[in-house]
Amino acid sequence: MAVPFVHAPYLKPGAAEQLSERIIRLIAPNPGPFTYTGSGAYLLVGDGETVVIDPGPDDEGHIALLAEAAPSAIKRILITHTHRDHCGGADRLKALTGAETYGYGAHPTSDDDLPPALDEGADLGFVPDHLLRDGEVLSVPGLTIEAVHTPGHIGNHLCFALQEEAALFTGDHIMGWATTVVAPPDGDMTAYMESLEKLLIRIDQIYYPTHGAPITAPHTFVRAVREHREGRDHAILSTLNDGPREVMQIVDEVYVGLAAPLKIAAALNVRAHLEAHIRLGLVTLTDNQYALKGEA
């Protein structure tokens, strides 16, 4: 099953767009190969209170527009995860509005243990005012928001479910325009696959990713992503049938014709797949070369 990507190059930064009765989106001016047309900050409009999900990067103009777009006081800022293109502007918005921040926790690794930055990189300074755990519910007048822990892309990743609209804000866990990068050590492929299964037993009717357009057939999309990742996993392991390989050798064999700027992302996903098999005892790593166990 091919992934039914939702391409939306028409999305532009700088203009607030009403997506539904309760949802407004404002796209930040940070387009790029890993942020698509830019980070989409969502305003959830309750009765006398507005909640922001992923304010986006620390861009003064964008944060000012975000505050202006809120039809009522912003009191809570929800963070899907600690990459700067999602939470970099949280402290600026907090200072501007007096809102408090909510998230799973601080970034899971230190400066000495970070994967290559594909977008704005990790926000090691962000610490939420309030910790949220899986299944925890925020009750705001007119809004009921559930935190859904979805590790994989990064260990502290949360999705947020707006129960009144059967909507799930998926951050980087599911994106309509591309598959998600799972970058060790923050990212974990086993956790990512388990988080996909978690979404399939939910009843959400629409996904709003931070990057790109809404996904209106979410279960079909998640099944296709799962199948895609399983196919990649099989192809990656198959390369080792011909002997040990370094990561970039596997990338060249599996991702044929991939543009050079995207090879770093592919390499991170390959490494995540292989590290999952190392934990299962199927693959070994020696001198930067991966091999099937017993064939190194």
Side-chain angles (χ1 to χ4, degrees):
M1 179 191 303
V3 180
F5 291 120
V6 183
H7 297 293
Y10 54 84
L11 296 177
K12 303 295 182 185
E17 181 181 3
Q18 189 89 37
L19 301 182
S20 75
E21 177 186 355
R22 300 177 182 84
I23 302 170
I24 298 170
R25 179 182 60 201
L26 180 68
I27 296 175
N30 64 332
F34 301 103
T35 54
Y36 198 40
T37 63
S39 298
Y42 291 97
L43 298 101
L44 309 190
V45 183
D47 299 330
E49 178 179 341
T50 297
V51 176
V52 172
I53 296 178
D54 280 359
D58 186 14
D59 179 282
E60 183 177 2
H62 167 67
I63 296 301
L65 287 174
L66 188 58
E68 291 173 9
S72 53
I74 296 173
K75 297 182 180 180
R76 308 178 206 225
I77 303 166
L78 311 186
I79 302 299
T80 62
H81 65 292
T82 49
H83 286 150
R84 290 184 183 278
D85 57 316
H86 294 253
C87 71
D91 285 344
R92 187 181 293 274
L93 184 61
K94 177 180 174 179
L96 191 61
T97 63
E100 296 186 323
T101 56
Y102 294 72
Y104 193 80
H107 201 76
T109 51
S110 68
D111 268 323
D112 298 327
D113 196 25
L114 291 176
L118 299 179
D119 36 58
E120 284 94 339
D123 190 343
L124 298 178
F126 175 77
V127 179
D129 297 316
H130 301 277
L131 296 179
L132 291 173
R133 290 296 174 257
D134 184 48
E136 192 166 347
V137 174
L138 293 176
S139 294
V140 178
L143 303 171
T144 309
I145 304 167
E146 178 192 0
V148 183
H149 187 213
T150 48
H153 174 64
I154 183 174
N156 64 11
H157 196 288
L158 290 172
C159 295
F160 294 104
L162 178 59
Q163 294 182 7
E164 285 77 6
E165 298 204 7
L168 188 71
F169 297 84
T170 57
D172 277 354
H173 183 58
I174 290 288
M175 301 184 293
W177 69 285
T179 56
T180 297
V181 177
V182 178
D186 304 342
D188 182 298
M189 190 59 71
T190 300
Y192 183 74
M193 299 299 286
E194 291 172 351
S195 293
L196 291 181
E197 296 296 331
K198 187 174 188 175
L199 295 195
L200 287 173
I201 63 174
R202 295 183 53 83
I203 59 172
D204 311 295
Q205 298 300 304
I206 187 169
Y207 289 170
Y208 292 101
T210 299
H211 307 285
I215 299 167
T216 56
H219 284 179
T220 298
F221 197 95
V222 172
R223 290 189 190 98
V225 170
R226 178 182 63 185
E227 186 174 308
H228 171 80
R229 287 264 63 91
E230 290 170 346
R232 287 291 194 214
D233 193 68
H234 177 75
I236 289 164
L237 283 181
S238 293
T239 67
L240 301 184
N241 288 328
D242 295 324
R245 296 282 194 280
E246 293 187 356
V247 165
M248 291 312 298
Q249 289 177 285
I250 297 173
V251 169
D252 289 338
E253 292 181 44
V254 173
Y255 295 80
V256 178
L258 185 67
L262 301 179
K263 286 190 175 183
I264 294 175
L268 292 170
N269 275 344
V270 166
R271 183 181 159 199
H273 278 284
L274 291 169
E275 289 194 359
H277 288 297
I278 287 175
R279 290 192 295 271
L280 291 172
L282 301 176
V283 170
T284 61
L285 173 62
T286 306
D287 296 330
N288 293 320
Q289 290 204 328
Y290 292 88
L292 296 175
K293 188 171 184 179
E295 297 186 15

